[in-house]
Amino acid sequence: MKKILPYLLLPLFVTFLPGCSLITTKGSLSISSQPGNAEIYINGKLKGKTPGRKGKTITVNLPTGQYQIELVKSRSQNDEYFASQTISITDGTEQSLSIPLSLRVTGEFRQQLLGTIGTDIIEPEMIRIPAGTFMMGCVSDIECLKNQKPVHSVSINEFMLSKHELTFNEWDACVAQGGCSHYPDDYKFGRGNRPVLNVSWDDAQQYIIWLNHKTGKKYRLANEAEWEYAARAGTATPFNTGRCLSTEMANYDGDIPLKGCEKGKDRKQTLEVGSLPVNQWGFHDMHGNVWEWTQDCWVSDYKNAPDDGSAIEFENCPRRVLRGGGWNYRGSYNRSAIRYDYSHTLRLENLGFRLAM
């Protein structure tokens, strides 16, 4: 009689080749860009284009893992729109990316910029401001806004502020030397010694990091209170020029002056820094030309404002404070007390900055 041997349970060994698995897990990624029609590269491979219509997206299915997303849109022989972002795809997830593109110069044009701008570091002319105390907010009670109240006393420590708004010459040097990734459009106003514009708060921080690395100094943006202290230069009137602001003293929309003041010019563009007279402490363009980013996070009023001139900062700060008005804004929006807020990523034809230390 045949002996029946019992079945033996043996361990099962399965060998996986690198990069292979029995189950492939995937997620999806929906992408749009501003501007649209940008080529999408995922880990260096072209995967299509973002839609040209606002609000539309393109969806790509990807296995789980980490990916480098690059968007490129040619604009001219000299520059292109570009963005780069690293993302992680996990099983079954649906992600959506709406990516703003920055303008950057191409390698050949960067060499041309270097030939024009050179490798020298252009540092701003700084003015030392003594410590002092002032009343911050709309002290004149003329065309005030709620976000400029309550008026409160602020003590300021000694600091330095640049005499001019940062210029295209200064910014383009950063671009040419690889320190700044964004090449801002000048809207056909001209570059050179005109104030740089179309730069975000984040762009300003990138410039400051580069300049501090090159110089070993500690440049920064002014705090909102420091900015108003320098703009007022000891005055308590709507403008540091008094009750009214002439367009011979500042570059703004003179067709709409402050209530009760005479009309002036509307130049419809920026002026070179230093074109108009300084205020009492030696600063140009504290009213008009371009809005200037400050360090502070936006809050809607001064109810809990610090009295020591420090910046208001908190985590995940979505909006930053702008000061000073601009070339295309009415008189009331160029007052010493005026304050405005925008997303820290926004770029417009009237947004620039000046440096503090």
Side-chain angles (χ1 to χ4, degrees):
M1 185 170 177
K2 243 182 190 182
K3 195 167 185 182
I4 299 174
L5 296 174
Y7 288 105
L8 295 176
L9 296 176
L10 300 175
L12 180 64
F13 296 96
V14 180
T15 301
F16 293 94
L17 295 175
C20 297
S21 63
L22 289 179
I23 302 173
T24 302
T25 55
K26 288 187 176 183
S28 65
L29 177 65
S30 297
I31 307 174
S32 64
S33 67
Q34 301 84 40
N37 290 321
E39 293 179 337
I40 303 168
Y41 291 87
I42 300 179
N43 287 353
K45 294 183 178 179
L46 181 63
K47 294 293 184 180
K49 282 189 175 184
T50 59
R53 290 180 60 189
K54 191 174 181 181
K56 298 291 183 180
T57 63
I58 181 173
T59 301
V60 182
N61 293 318
L62 296 168
T64 58
Q66 193 170 57
Y67 295 90
Q68 186 70 28
I69 312 296
E70 292 184 331
L71 302 182
V72 181
K73 180 180 181 178
S74 296
R75 195 182 83 134
S76 72
Q77 292 181 339
N78 297 332
D79 49 42
E80 64 188 9
Y81 290 104
F82 176 81
S84 177
Q85 191 166 333
T86 301
I87 64 158
S88 293
I89 297 293
T90 55
D91 185 21
T93 58
E94 298 179 2
Q95 294 192 50
S96 180
L97 292 180
S98 179
I99 303 177
L101 305 184
S102 297
L103 198 60
R104 69 174 185 178
V105 297
T106 60
E108 185 177 337
F109 185 53
R110 177 170 283 135
Q111 293 305 312
Q112 293 176 23
L113 268 181
L114 277 171
T116 303
I117 302 295
T119 57
D120 293 337
I121 305 302
I122 308 172
E123 289 195 66
E125 183 179 351
M126 306 295 285
I127 296 176
R128 187 174 298 277
I129 301 175
T133 300
F134 80 111
M135 299 305 292
M136 183 175 180
C138 193
V139 295
S140 63
D141 285 328
I142 299 172
E143 295 196 38
C144 296
L145 300 174
K146 288 182 180 179
N147 64 37
Q148 301 154 19
K149 295 285 189 174
V151 174
H152 57 292
S153 177
V154 180
S155 296
I156 301 290
N157 294 323
E158 182 181 83
F159 72 106
M160 299 180 76
L161 191 68
S162 57
K163 184 175 183 178
H164 307 113
E165 295 161 330
L166 196 86
T167 66
F168 270 105
N169 272 341
E170 291 168 302
W171 183 272
D172 287 348
C174 182
V175 173
Q177 295 179 43
C180 295
S181 57
H182 176 55
Y183 184 66
D185 196 333
D186 63 14
Y187 294 88
K188 298 183 179 179
F189 297 165
R191 301 180 85 82
N193 281 324
R194 289 180 187 258
V196 68
L197 43 78
N198 193 34
V199 289
S200 68
W201 187 91
D202 288 347
D203 294 330
Q205 298 302 317
Q206 188 181 44
Y207 178 86
I208 289 167
I209 290 169
W210 170 79
L211 185 62
N212 286 343
H213 175 72
K214 289 289 187 179
T215 63
K217 298 178 181 178
K218 294 182 179 180
Y219 290 103
R220 58 178 174 84
L221 293 179
N223 302 333
E224 186 180 8
E226 291 174 336
W227 192 97
E228 186 172 325
Y229 182 59
R232 288 193 176 280
T235 64
T237 45
F239 310 99
N240 55 46
T241 56
R243 169 65 176 78
C244 294
L245 181 67
S246 163
T247 52
E248 298 306 309
M249 300 295 289
N251 182 27
Y252 74 99
D253 183 357
D255 287 336
I256 315 174
L258 190 69
K259 191 180 296 183
C261 298
E262 293 184 5
K263 287 187 176 184
K265 300 175 183 176
D266 178 10
R267 298 180 176 92
K268 301 185 184 300
Q269 62 179 327
T270 59
L271 289 177
E272 287 192 359
V273 300
S275 296
L276 299 175
V278 296
N279 74 359
Q280 293 87 330
W281 288 357
F283 297 103
H284 290 278
D285 302 314
M286 298 301 282
H287 302 305
N289 225 16
V290 292
W291 286 92
E292 299 176 17
W293 291 107
T294 65
Q295 185 62 32
D296 295 60
C297 294
W298 172 259
V299 291
S300 59
D301 56 44
Y302 288 144
K303 287 179 182 177
N304 297 305
D307 60 6
D308 62 354
S310 59
I312 295 174
E313 294 269 23
F314 48 81
E315 288 187 19
N316 302 317
C317 172
R319 304 178 77 80
R320 297 283 176 169
V321 178
L322 288 149
R323 285 303 203 121
W327 60 270
N328 57 346
Y329 272 72
R330 65 176 65 203
S332 63
Y333 273 75
N334 285 269
R335 292 176 296 108
S336 297
I338 199 66
R339 52 197 303 264
Y340 214 79
D341 68 301
Y342 273 136
S343 165
H344 60 94
T345 64
L346 188 69
R347 299 171 178 140
L348 290 174
E349 73 277 9
N350 51 21
L351 303 186
F353 65 100
R354 74 176 71 215
L355 297 175
M357 185 187 291

